[in-house]
């Protein structure tokens, strides 16, 4: 995707001001930059690549770029296998350990940039390059707060590229919440790094209100749209030295249009994937499974051979699709039914709070494998299935929780 031109930058008043740490007005034009770039994912990679291209094209602008990211680590399930192996069980050293990748690490290596992989900034000090001490820190999607101790070491402090129009969707998951709330427009913000809080710096550049009409359905699509915009916004600010004090106050609104209330983009967790059948419509469920799926519920199962029940997590691993044909069965909301008992194929239906019927695709019971929904139901005893039943359908033992 080609980089967008910066005709979208704006300069408007903002209601708050945060002191930038480590910035100076000296040598605004001639002092080359020695950058410490902190990143992790595909969004940050685009900014790093744009900065490196600017370094190659204009050597007097940026003389060095050091990259900081978290180290690669074995995934949790593989750690268990490794422990079992070293205890003498199932030891097979020919099997390679699965490692959680840090995408930006490979990019930094390919660009021949110095790479520093750390778990935290505690006790860590930025390197000194042959050209001198780091004088600008850039953090993009690293998930770590750059402390004031390190910001003070950089003459020009720090910058951050954030994929939303701050202060709206400040927080760790702006892309997800933009889509989850159905927001049709969005943008990018370039801000200074605050020494003690995320997304509380001074805004240097920002997409003008009301933002870009994105038309994206997935986080990946939205990321790929905004990443080059943010990268060029960053490079342009560096070329203009607009990060040097005094910084003109910029922002798309001062809070008066929303009574000062903005949506916080909290980290996506299990509760965000837990389907609330009483309030989530069919569209809500289908949107969420596309953005943050797979979703889940708790279901009652009968323990075979015992007169008792227990609850187990049902992971809708491949989600649902709408039932397009007319259904003459009207189960309670969130109480799944198995239909087609007397036919060659059985399906699991769940009715939503807005009266629509969803059909479950392959699911996974907690601790099990992904399988066709009907097979998972039979194996886990989620419903009293009997081919001699008088009806062609049967409900689960209880509604989903």
């Amino acid at each position: 995707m080609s980089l967008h031109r910066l005709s979208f930058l704006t300069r408007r008043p903002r209601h708050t001001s945060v002191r930038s740490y480590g910035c100076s007005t000296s040598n605004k034009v001639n002092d080359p930059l020695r950058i410490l770039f902190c990143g992790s994912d595909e969004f940050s990679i685009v900014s790093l690549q744009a900065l490196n291209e600017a370094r190659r094209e204009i050597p007097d602008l940026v003389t060095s770029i050091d990259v900081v990211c978290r180290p690669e680590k074995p995934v949790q399930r593989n750690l268990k296998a490794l422990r079992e192996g070293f205890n003498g069980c199932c030891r097979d050293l020919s099997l390679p350990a699965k490692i959680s990748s840090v995408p930006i690490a490979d990019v930094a290596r390919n660009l021949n940039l110095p790479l520093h992989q750390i778990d935290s900034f505690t006790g860590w000090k930025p390197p000194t390059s042959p050209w001198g001490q780091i004088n600008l820190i850039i953090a993009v999607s690293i998930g770590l707060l750059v402390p004031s101790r390190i910001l003070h070491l950089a003459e020009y402090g720090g910058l951050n590229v954030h994929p939303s129009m701050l202060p709206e969707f400040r927080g760790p998951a702006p892309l997800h919440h933009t889509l989850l709330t159905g927001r049709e427009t969005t943008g990018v913000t370039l801000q200074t790094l605050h020494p003690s809080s995320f997304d509380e710096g001074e805004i240097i550049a920002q997409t003008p209100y009301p933002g870009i009409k994105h038309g994206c359905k997935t986080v990946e699509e939205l990321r790929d749209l905004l990443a080059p915009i943010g990268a060029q916004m960053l490079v342009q600010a560096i070329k203009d030295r607009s990060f040097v004090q005094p910084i003109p106050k910029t922002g798309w609104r001062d809070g008066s249009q929303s009574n000062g209330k903005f949506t916080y983009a909290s980290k996506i967790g299990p509760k965000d994937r837990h389907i609330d059948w009483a309030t989530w419509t069919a569209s809500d469920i289908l949107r969420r499974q596309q953005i943050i799926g797979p979703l889940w519920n708790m279901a009652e199962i009968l323990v075979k051979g015992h007169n008792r029940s227990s609850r187990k997590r049902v992971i809708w691993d491949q989600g649902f699709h709408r039932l397009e044909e007319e259904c003459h069965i009207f189960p309670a909301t969130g109480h799944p039914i198995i239909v087609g008992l007397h036919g060659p194929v059985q399906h699991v239906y769940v009715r939503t709070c807005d009266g629509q019927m969803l059909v479950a695709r392959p699911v996974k019971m907690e601790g099990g494998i992904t399988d066709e929904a009907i097979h998972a139901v039979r194996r886990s005893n989620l419903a009293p299935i009997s081919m001699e039943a008088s009806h062609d359908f049967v409900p689960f033992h209880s509604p989903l929780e």
Side-chain angles (χ1 to χ4, degrees):
M1 179 182 296
S2 62
L3 300 182
H4 294 247
R5 297 186 62 84
L6 289 185
S7 58
F8 50 75
L9 296 186
T10 184
R11 303 280 183 188
R12 297 188 183 184
R14 184 170 181 253
H15 67 297
T16 59
S17 177
V18 179
R19 176 172 167 250
S20 291
Y21 283 69
C23 292
S24 169
T25 58
S26 64
N27 300 322
K28 178 169 182 175
V29 175
N30 298 320
D31 190 16
L33 294 176
R34 297 171 294 279
I35 293 174
L36 183 68
F37 187 95
C38 311
S40 63
D41 59 8
E42 289 79 2
F43 184 81
S44 56
I45 285 172
V46 179
S47 287
L48 175 62
Q49 291 172 329
L51 277 176
N52 189 62
E53 186 65 25
R55 178 180 68 91
R56 293 175 52 202
E57 292 179 354
I58 315 174
D60 292 337
L61 179 68
V62 178
T63 57
S64 67
I65 303 175
D66 282 67
V67 179
V68 168
C69 69
R70 290 178 168 178
E72 294 94 345
K73 296 180 179 179
V75 297
Q76 190 65 32
R77 183 167 292 186
N78 216 73
L79 285 175
K80 179 180 178 182
L82 288 174
R83 284 196 297 268
E84 291 176 347
F86 286 113
N87 286 334
C89 301
C90 305
R91 186 173 183 177
D92 185 356
L93 299 181
S94 66
L95 295 176
K98 289 186 178 180
I99 302 297
S100 61
S101 63
V102 183
I104 202 169
D106 288 336
V107 173
R109 295 185 187 104
N110 291 336
L111 295 176
N112 294 318
L113 299 176
L115 177 65
H116 314 274
Q117 295 185 273
I118 58 175
D119 276 314
S120 77
F121 287 104
T122 303
W124 186 80
K125 185 178 179 180
T128 299
S129 73
W131 298 274
Q133 183 173 305
I134 296 293
N135 58 8
L136 179 65
I137 298 170
I138 298 174
V140 186
S141 301
I142 189 172
L144 295 173
L145 183 71
V146 181
S148 59
R149 172 182 63 84
I150 291 181
L151 288 177
H152 275 301
L153 298 176
E155 180 183 2
Y156 299 114
L159 298 176
N160 166 253
V161 180
H162 187 82
S164 82
M165 295 172 64
L166 291 173
E168 186 74 322
F169 297 127
R170 59 176 291 266
L175 298 175
H176 299 78
H177 286 275
T178 297
L179 297 173
L180 288 174
T181 56
R183 202 66 57 88
E184 295 181 351
T185 58
T186 188
V188 178
T189 301
L190 179 66
Q191 62 174 331
T192 62
L193 289 176
H194 191 283
S196 60
S197 300
F198 288 105
D199 304 326
E200 292 286 354
E202 292 182 84
I203 293 179
I204 293 177
Q206 190 172 71
T207 305
Y209 181 79
I212 304 164
K213 193 171 180 65
H214 58 82
C216 298
K217 301 297 183 183
T218 67
V219 171
E220 292 75 20
E221 290 174 353
L222 189 57
R223 177 200 67 202
D224 292 345
L225 171 67
L226 296 182
I229 297 175
Q232 187 167 350
M233 188 182 287
L234 173 64
V235 170
Q236 190 64 51
I238 286 177
K239 289 179 178 179
D240 295 342
R241 295 287 175 135
S242 54
F243 54 86
V244 180
Q245 294 283 13
I247 296 174
K249 293 183 179 180
T250 303
W252 66 281
R253 63 183 183 183
D254 60 6
S256 60
Q257 294 171 304
S258 62
N259 297 319
K261 297 179 180 179
F262 299 99
T263 304
Y264 180 74
S266 57
K267 184 178 180 179
I268 300 298
K271 65 180 178 61
D272 299 295
R273 299 183 174 93
H274 186 188
I275 301 177
D276 182 356
W277 293 96
T279 62
W280 291 12
T281 65
S283 294
D284 291 334
I285 293 169
L286 296 176
R287 182 191 302 124
R288 283 188 176 246
Q289 75 180 25
Q290 187 173 34
I291 298 168
I292 61 172
L295 310 178
W296 64 276
N297 283 108
M298 299 300 294
E300 181 185 23
I301 65 173
L302 293 183
V303 181
K304 294 181 179 180
H306 301 274
N307 189 24
R308 64 182 178 88
S309 64
S310 64
R311 294 165 67 248
K312 204 166 188 179
R313 189 185 301 255
V314 181
I315 303 169
W316 308 104
D317 200 40
Q318 297 187 24
F320 301 88
H321 64 85
R322 295 180 195 266
L323 180 66
E324 301 297 339
E325 60 266 23
E326 187 176 359
C327 181
H328 299 286
I329 307 171
F330 301 97
T333 298
H335 196 152
I337 59 173
I338 303 168
V339 299
L341 291 181
H342 300 155
V345 179
Q346 293 82 44
H347 296 284
V348 175
Y349 291 178
V350 191
R351 185 171 177 265
T352 61
C353 65
D354 57 339
Q356 298 194 49
M357 200 74 80
L358 296 181
V359 183
R361 295 189 175 115
V363 305
K364 179 167 66 174
M365 299 302 297
E366 186 175 5
I369 62 172
T370 301
D371 203 349
E372 293 296 332
I374 185 61
H375 299 323
V377 170
R378 290 179 183 275
R379 188 183 304 110
S380 299
N381 199 17
L382 290 167
I385 300 177
S386 172
M387 302 310 291
E388 289 76 32
S390 58
H391 297 290
D392 195 39
F393 66 93
V394 64
F396 275 29
H397 294 302
S398 64
L400 297 168
E401 299 176 10

